[in-house]
Amino acid sequence: MLPYLPLLIVFGVAPSIYALDLAFTNVGGGWVGFHNFVRTYNDFRFLSAFRHVLVYTCVWLGALIVFVVGLALLLHGRANRVSATFRFLFYMPGALAGSAAVLVWLFMLDPSVSPGSFLLHHVLGADIFAQSIAPGNLPFIFAMIAFWTGAGGWIVVMYGALNTIPHDLEEAARIDGAGPITIALRLKLPLMRKWIAYMVILSFATGTQLFVEPQIVQTASFGLVPDTWSANQLAYQLAFRYADFNGAAAIAVDLLMIGLVGAVLIVTRSGLFRTDD
Amino acid sequence: MKINLRWWFIVLALAASAASISATASAAERTSVSGSLTVWVDAVRLPVAKLYAKTHPNVHLNIVTFDGDGNGATTMQTKIQLWNRTGHGWPDVIFSEQANDPVWMGQKPFDFALNLKSVFPKNLLKGWPAPSLAQCTVNGQLVCLQDNLAQEVLYVNQKLMKQFGYSVPTTWQQWAALGEKVAKDHPGYIIGNIGDSYGAWLYLWADQCPVSQVIGPNTVRINSGDVHCTRMASLLDPLIKSGVVPPESVFTADFATKWGGDNDKILLMPGPVWYAKDIFGGTLHVPAGELTATLPLRWNNEPLVTGQVGGGPWIVSRHSKNTAAAVDFVKWATTSFAVKSKVNALSPGYPSYAPAAAKWLTALNKDPYFAAPEGPAMQAAANAIWKGWNMVTYPDQPVWSNTVVTQLVAGKSLSSLLPAYGDGLAQNAQAAGYKVVRK
Amino acid sequence: MRLRVVGLGVRLTVLAMFAVFFIAPVVWLVLAPTKSDKALITSSPFSFGDFHHVALAWKHLDAFSSHIFRRWIGNTLFYAVSATAITLVAGVPAGYGLAIGRFPGRKLVLSLTLVVMIVPGAALVLPIFLELNAVHLIGSSLSVILPFAFFPFGVYLAYLYYATALPPSLLDAARVDGCGELQTFLRVALPLAKPIVALVFFFSFVADWNNFFLPYVVLADSNQYPITVGLWDLLSSTPSFNPAVGGGGQSVKIFKPELALATLIAVVPVAIVFLFSQRALVRGLVGGAVKE
């Protein structure tokens, strides 16, 4: 235990407490109550930044839950070789670093270069890059990039989770005459609840912290995407451009609260910490 | 014998001292400054820094490249903040692509820039145009020196103009009328573009639109409803709609495909002097022997004013432990003919130091890429930059990009977007601590 | 029977569609450096150019800023490996301790670990910076390695693993033999550690390799950047994405093929780690309790 505890305290607990402290104090260190929160709330970029992040998170979580679980279920069954190949293919993009993935998608979203220009035209109505990244499309685009890199990993996890289901249970259900869809929905899905919950909690937290994707697209689009599109970006700008660390901490605490509330809700609704299952 | 020896000794001594005097004179650049120096440059200024290191072996030069704070980035603000907090780590010299960087660098809480008035050779300072020095003056202190000027001129494709039998416009009105003709007779050809992040500088600055006018300490006028702004927008709207002034950036692959290279559809283009060979020849692959530059457009018979697109400054750090070398570096980079006399990687843009500019222009005028010498127009435009658009501590490019360009792409008219543009600028100004006057 | 075949067909189609979605961009990326900048726009996205262009693209990329690209890759390897080494040494025993230990505050440490995983990065980076500054570590590689080494996800994985995979009988045997804590660890936990070490190594290495925010904030000198921040630096230094550079930026020959090559090279080490960890991942991911 010994080596870990200092790390936990120095880089986990202490910074969190310090961030809380910054959020409730001012530059001189004096206590200001909720003043920082009110002040940042009134910043002209605050509402749109949080709205963007919430839309993004909902789209992303939705995609994760539906497609990750769906694909894992589809993969599970017989034909292990085929399944392994598909899993590997889904997993490959996870190798791309945050900025690398965005670079790739910058090209994918540029109709003059992308192999998917047909889709760009018909789905997004985009003939030039500037149209692909029109403000209304952004939450979906960022969700797609995050899904592209992150889904593979979770699919593997879900697949592994499915593998823990005892074969006899499946056999029994099959003997009883249940079709594959019924087995999936009635038997497999409920047993995956804990893992789905775990995925949603972590993804919810990371989703609200969105930074890399909008930051890089902002550079690459010559500023068509604002540098305060996401809440985390706004916090960064407040801290490092306006030297307003207290405001930045306030926003960070806002995000933390959202993450915690979400986590608590999910934990209680899904019984994640219950051990009797 | 003794007399001979003594005589030889004297001769040798004289010879040695003569040699050392001339050596000192020629190496005056080198031996007078020494020590170590850290400079932060963007990729484009890197060759300059490397050449300095080579020709000044007495100076131990540490070169760091960064994004140059281009396009309204905040890299330098972050870094300077961090250095201020830790109390060490500041570079001695910084080059920035953002003309408004020195404004916040010269004020609290960043307080980074050195006042060059006292340390930079005064006789050299005279070589900078007055507006350039004014742009670098914050609270009476000269906090930077512009490396190159970026005045706007009108680029003309002589070959195409002759081919279609058009005469080169000298006013915005003639330009717009020509645009309507082009839309009808030669659809697909363009006379300009408005999709770059600095579109406001090309069109609004050039028409004296007061949306970035410092009228007092920490007070800025942002009036996008001023007649200068609205009349230019009304002039541009039909042109944007008919497609002869598209809301696309010259730096996109799409632009090069549609109007550059093989298609060669750029008839006219208002643009800064640094477009010259690099953008038209390099990025857009326009064939040689077609392009030239003429005087920027004027509004009817009003006096000639034009806009400015960039023109990066050099800044010396107040915390530098080797100010002599730092100033020497900036001096060499901005005035030395070794750097500035040719149109190449060392000096792609129009030097702001007039004697160097004269040499640079001579070289530019001889360049066979152009159909006719561009120098005269560029020189004339240098003194016509409108002084009413001032540098502030917040970048305005992002506001233009995400409130105006995104909507232009979606089909809205520029006139309808001016209020939102003004609002966006005002919000940024207030967030940066300015008092805003909206009329 | 019919329904089964149709079902299989539907299944395969859906899986194939997603496979295309995941893989097509990667294929494009691999092929991109083989073409010239112009060819990328004009020719088919999946066409193969020639190796000559790849060599040319590498030459330009390497020449950028005095071979800084090599330094970036080197930095990232150094940071990721060092940090992961510390993570393994600190985290795996910690997970083991949490799983079998009966010490006061066990639940507290566990909950804290979980909570810290949810705290937004933006909140932690600045206080961490201030802490590092107080001990004069800013500017050294440790300012990146030490925070990287703190990897609560890895600790939690180790905890889950040891909580489920450890046969209680082994543990009891060791206790009965009168082993102390350290000896129990060496006799029981270590032999079983291979899958979890592989797992934590994988996640930690990938997370460290891909981390952008912390180094972006903490590192001032571009010579120290890891490749994630380096890619962004490259992006903002090229005419294609930074018009201010355009005036003379042509001498910096970084265009689309060079960017694609840079991205590809940035991905290779992680891809290698991926390939080698595939097995350990699928098997060990769910607490080593896969019933095959």
Side-chain angles (χ1 to χ4, degrees):
Chain A
M1 276 319 292
L2 243 37
Y4 174 64
L5 281 176
L7 283 173
L8 174 63
I9 294 177
V10 173
F11 295 113
V13 181
S16 310
I17 297 180
Y18 189 60
L20 276 174
D21 174 69
L22 274 178
F24 289 101
T25 58
N26 65 12
V27 180
W31 181 267
V32 289
F34 283 100
H35 178 71
N36 291 324
F37 291 93
V38 174
R39 187 167 52 80
T40 50
Y41 179 77
N42 286 325
D43 188 292
F44 66 97
R45 296 157 289 201
F46 183 92
L47 281 174
S48 45
F50 272 89
R51 193 185 59 233
H52 292 152
V53 160
L54 284 175
V55 175
Y56 160 81
T57 309
C58 289
V59 173
W60 185 40
L61 283 183
L64 268 187
I65 295 177
V66 170
F67 293 123
V68 166
V69 174
L71 286 172
L73 285 171
L74 280 179
L75 284 174
H76 192 244
R78 329 253 191 110
N80 239 347
R81 262 281 169 76
V82 171
S83 174
T85 321
F86 272 118
R87 277 201 318 272
F88 178 71
L89 288 179
F90 293 164
Y91 202 29
M92 267 325 301
L96 273 79
S99 49
V102 181
L103 267 175
V104 171
W105 278 95
L106 282 176
F107 293 123
M108 293 299 111
L109 290 168
D110 187 343
S112 50
V113 178
S114 166
S117 47
F118 175 79
L119 285 169
L120 287 173
H121 179 81
H122 286 272
V123 174
L124 291 178
D127 293 311
I128 57 174
F129 181 61
Q131 285 173 322
S132 294
I133 56 170
N137 296 339
L138 287 176
F140 299 91
I141 288 179
F142 293 137
M144 182 175 63
I145 298 178
F147 179 80
W148 188 72
T149 46
W154 285 112
I155 292 177
V156 171
V157 170
M158 290 299 156
Y159 181 82
L162 282 170
N163 271 344
T164 63
I165 298 175
H167 281 290
D168 7 331
L169 266 175
E170 242 183 288
E171 279 308 307
R174 213 168 283 133
I175 290 173
D176 279 351
I181 298 183
T182 325
I183 295 184
L185 290 177
R186 284 277 178 72
L187 176 66
K188 298 183 183 176
L189 206 51
L191 288 174
M192 284 164 61
R193 251 173 54 218
K194 279 223 177 85
W195 290 97
I196 299 177
Y198 190 45
M199 174 177 81
V200 172
I201 291 180
L202 278 188
S203 306
F204 189 75
T206 19
T208 48
Q209 294 177 39
L210 186 65
F211 183 83
V212 180
E213 287 86 347
Q215 188 74 351
I216 295 186
V217 176
Q218 184 254 334
T219 308
S221 67
F222 316 132
L224 285 176
V225 176
D227 63 2
T228 49
W229 190 86
S230 79
N232 212 357
Q233 283 179 297
L234 180 58
Y236 175 78
Q237 290 294 322
L238 283 178
F240 293 102
R241 188 166 136 204
Y242 298 104
D244 180 11
F245 296 117
N246 304 90
I251 294 192
V253 171
D254 290 334
L255 288 173
L256 168 61
M257 284 302 126
I258 296 177
L260 275 182
V261 166
V264 165
L265 271 174
I266 297 168
V267 164
T268 47
R269 304 268 322 284
S270 71
L272 182 61
F273 283 161
R274 248 190 282 136
T275 47
D276 47 331
D277 254 303
Chain B
M1 269 290 103
K2 257 208 184 135
I3 302 167
N4 253 350
L5 263 174
R6 237 216 238 143
W7 189 75
W8 274 117
F9 182 66
I10 294 173
V11 168
L12 278 171
L14 276 173
S17 57
S20 74
I21 287 175
S22 60
T24 321
S26 65
E29 284 200 308
R30 295 175 231 157
T31 53
S32 59
V33 285
S34 60
S36 70
L37 200 64
T38 303
V39 298
W40 278 53
V41 291
D42 65 344
V44 181
R45 278 15 91 164
L46 181 61
V48 176
K50 291 222 273 233
L51 186 61
Y52 184 87
K54 212 159 99 179
T55 54
H56 297 74
N58 274 6
V59 176
H60 174 71
L61 193 64
N62 177 25
I63 306 172
V64 176
T65 51
F66 73 117
D67 67 353
D69 260 6
N71 258 337
T74 52
T75 312
M76 263 302 132
Q77 279 185 322
T78 313
K79 301 299 183 199
I80 293 181
Q81 280 251 33
L82 291 186
W83 290 318
N84 285 356
R85 265 186 181 253
T86 62
H88 68 267
W90 304 277
D92 299 287
V93 179
I94 296 180
F95 176 85
S96 169
E97 295 168 7
Q98 231 188 99
N100 66 355
D101 269 354
V103 182
W104 55 260
M105 283 187 187
Q107 297 180 68
K108 293 211 180 343
F110 299 94
D111 207 15
F112 172 82
L114 178 71
N115 184 2
L116 291 170
K117 250 193 217 157
S118 46
V119 289
F120 203 83
K122 285 204 180 26
N123 58 325
L124 290 179
L125 278 182
K126 289 205 198 89
W128 266 261
S132 171
L133 289 176
Q135 191 172 290
C136 269
T137 307
V138 175
N139 295 335
Q141 304 200 328
L142 185 68
V143 294
C144 64
L145 277 175
Q146 244 186 332
D147 177 75
N148 53 284
L149 300 180
Q151 64 273 33
E152 177 189 346
V153 291
L154 179 69
Y155 288 97
V156 178
N157 189 323
Q158 255 186 9
K159 167 168 159 275
L160 289 175
M161 292 293 278
K162 268 204 198 95
Q163 187 181 322
F164 296 152
Y166 294 141
S167 52
V168 179
T170 51
T171 68
W172 287 106
Q173 282 67 26
Q174 291 172 354
W175 178 79
L178 182 60
E180 280 174 46
K181 248 198 269 168
V182 169
K184 244 189 289 156
D185 303 333
H186 303 280
Y189 284 80
I190 60 171
I191 60 167
N193 77 313
I194 196 168
D196 286 299
S197 61
Y198 45 81
W201 301 343
L202 286 174
Y203 298 104
L204 297 182
W205 185 329
D207 196 35
Q208 309 173 71
C209 169
V211 287
S212 185
Q213 197 169 66
V214 174
I215 56 177
N218 265 349
T219 315
V220 63
R221 164 178 290 133
I222 301 177
N223 185 5
S224 58
D226 183 281
V227 61
H228 290 93
C229 319
T230 51
R231 68 183 191 183
M232 180 53 89
S234 310
L235 183 104
L236 285 169
D237 278 333
L239 300 171
I240 301 175
K241 192 145 174 241
S242 63
V244 290
V245 180
E248 283 194 54
S249 158
V250 292
F251 295 93
T252 54
D254 195 65
F255 197 98
T257 325
K258 278 211 199 88
W259 298 296
D262 302 334
N263 288 328
D264 200 15
K265 293 217 160 117
I266 304 172
L267 201 54
L268 298 163
M269 173 131 22
V273 291
W274 50 262
Y275 270 12
K277 199 166 164 199
D278 275 337
I279 298 303
F280 289 113
T283 312
L284 297 173
H285 308 292
V286 176
E290 300 189 11
L291 285 167
T292 185
T294 63
L295 284 177
L297 298 161
R298 48 155 43 113
W299 191 270
N300 275 329
N301 44 15
E302 289 178 14
L304 178 66
V305 285
T306 187
Q308 175 182 257
V309 183
W314 291 97
I315 305 114
V316 176
S317 163
R318 199 170 58 81
H319 310 275
S320 172
K321 301 234 172 17
N322 196 350
T323 314
V327 173
D328 184 71
F329 180 89
V330 174
K331 185 183 82 177
W332 185 85
T334 52
T335 64
S336 150
F337 286 174
V339 175
K340 291 288 188 190
S341 57
K342 293 205 202 70
V343 184
N344 59 7
L346 285 171
S347 179
Y350 187 116
S352 35
Y353 180 63
K359 278 215 154 193
W360 189 85
L361 283 171
T362 316
L364 183 72
N365 289 335
K366 286 206 217 105
D367 196 312
Y369 176 75
F370 303 107
E374 300 191 327
M378 292 185 175
Q379 234 174 339
N383 294 318
I385 301 175
W386 184 51
K387 301 191 190 47
W389 189 295
N390 311 113
M391 298 296 120
V392 287
T393 61
Y394 58 91
D396 61 277
Q397 285 167 283
V399 183
W400 175 264
S401 291
N402 58 56
T403 50
V404 178
V405 178
T406 47
Q407 300 305 316
L408 287 177
V409 167
K412 298 228 179 71
S413 74
L414 180 57
S415 303
S416 66
L417 295 168
L418 280 181
Y421 179 56
D423 291 340
L425 287 174
Q427 285 166 333
N428 273 281
Q430 280 159 343
Y434 281 91
K435 183 159 154 263
V436 178
V437 170
R438 297 298 303 270
K439 26 184 198 309
Chain C
M1 196 59 219
R2 250 282 184 79
L3 206 60
R4 259 239 183 109
V5 172
V6 167
L8 193 66
V10 168
R11 227 170 100 172
L12 274 177
T13 321
V14 173
L15 286 173
M17 264 172 28
F18 273 96
V20 167
F21 168 70
F22 281 110
I23 285 302
V26 179
V27 173
W28 182 91
L29 185 67
V30 171
L31 289 173
T34 62
K35 295 181 269 223
S36 74
D37 192 46
K38 195 158 174 224
L40 274 174
I41 310 174
T42 50
S43 62
S44 153
F46 295 117
S47 61
F48 181 79
D50 55 63
F51 286 112
H52 165 69
H53 280 116
V54 183
L56 204 61
W58 168 249
K59 202 169 107 198
H60 294 155
L61 188 58
D62 197 35
F64 177 75
S65 205
S66 317
H67 311 292
I68 203 173
F69 189 77
R70 297 191 211 181
R71 257 203 295 284
W72 286 336
I73 298 278
N75 289 342
T76 324
L77 269 172
F78 175 54
Y79 298 148
V81 171
S82 321
T84 302
I86 302 179
T87 299
L88 286 173
V89 167
V92 175
Y96 167 77
L98 283 169
I100 64 121
R102 307 247 179 291
F103 53 92
R106 172 176 160 271
K107 262 234 173 107
L108 178 66
V109 174
L110 204 52
S111 328
L112 280 178
T113 304
L114 249 183
V115 169
V116 170
M117 267 197 273
I118 308 180
V119 177
L124 297 182
V125 167
L126 181 65
I128 290 179
F129 169 79
L130 292 172
E131 285 175 354
L132 291 168
N133 184 39
V135 291
H136 298 292
L137 277 178
I138 294 294
S140 84
S141 316
L142 283 176
S143 68
V144 171
I145 294 176
L146 287 181
F148 275 4
F150 171 60
F151 192 52
F153 182 66
V155 173
Y156 201 71
L157 273 181
Y159 156 73
L160 275 178
Y161 175 75
Y162 279 118
T164 53
L166 210 54
S169 45
L170 257 170
L171 207 55
D172 292 336
R175 290 253 168 74
V176 162
D177 281 352
C179 290
E181 278 307 323
L182 184 61
Q183 275 199 293
T184 322
F185 176 71
L186 289 173
R187 244 179 73 171
V188 177
L190 227 41
L192 281 174
K194 222 162 91 190
I196 191 64
V197 164
L199 251 174
V200 175
F201 175 85
F202 171 76
F203 278 111
S204 170
F205 185 85
V206 173
D208 294 339
W209 188 273
N210 290 354
N211 194 317
F212 180 84
F213 198 42
L214 178 76
Y216 180 74
V217 169
V218 155
L219 291 174
D221 191 345
S222 61
N223 282 307
Q224 290 177 305
Y225 284 169
I227 193 63
T228 41
V229 187
L231 277 180
W232 168 81
D233 191 49
L234 199 64
L235 179 76
S236 54
S237 300
T238 76
S240 319
F241 292 116
N242 186 355
V245 176
Q250 307 302 314
S251 61
V252 174
K253 294 197 186 318
I254 302 288
F255 298 99
K256 288 185 268 299
E258 285 78 12
L259 280 176
L261 184 63
T263 312
L264 205 50
I265 299 179
V267 166
V268 163
V270 177
I272 296 178
V273 170
F274 258 51
L275 284 172
F276 280 114
S277 312
Q278 257 268 20
R279 258 222 194 132
L281 243 96
V282 177
R283 229 191 295 128
L285 205 49
V286 194
V290 173
K291 292 176 177 51
E292 293 206 38

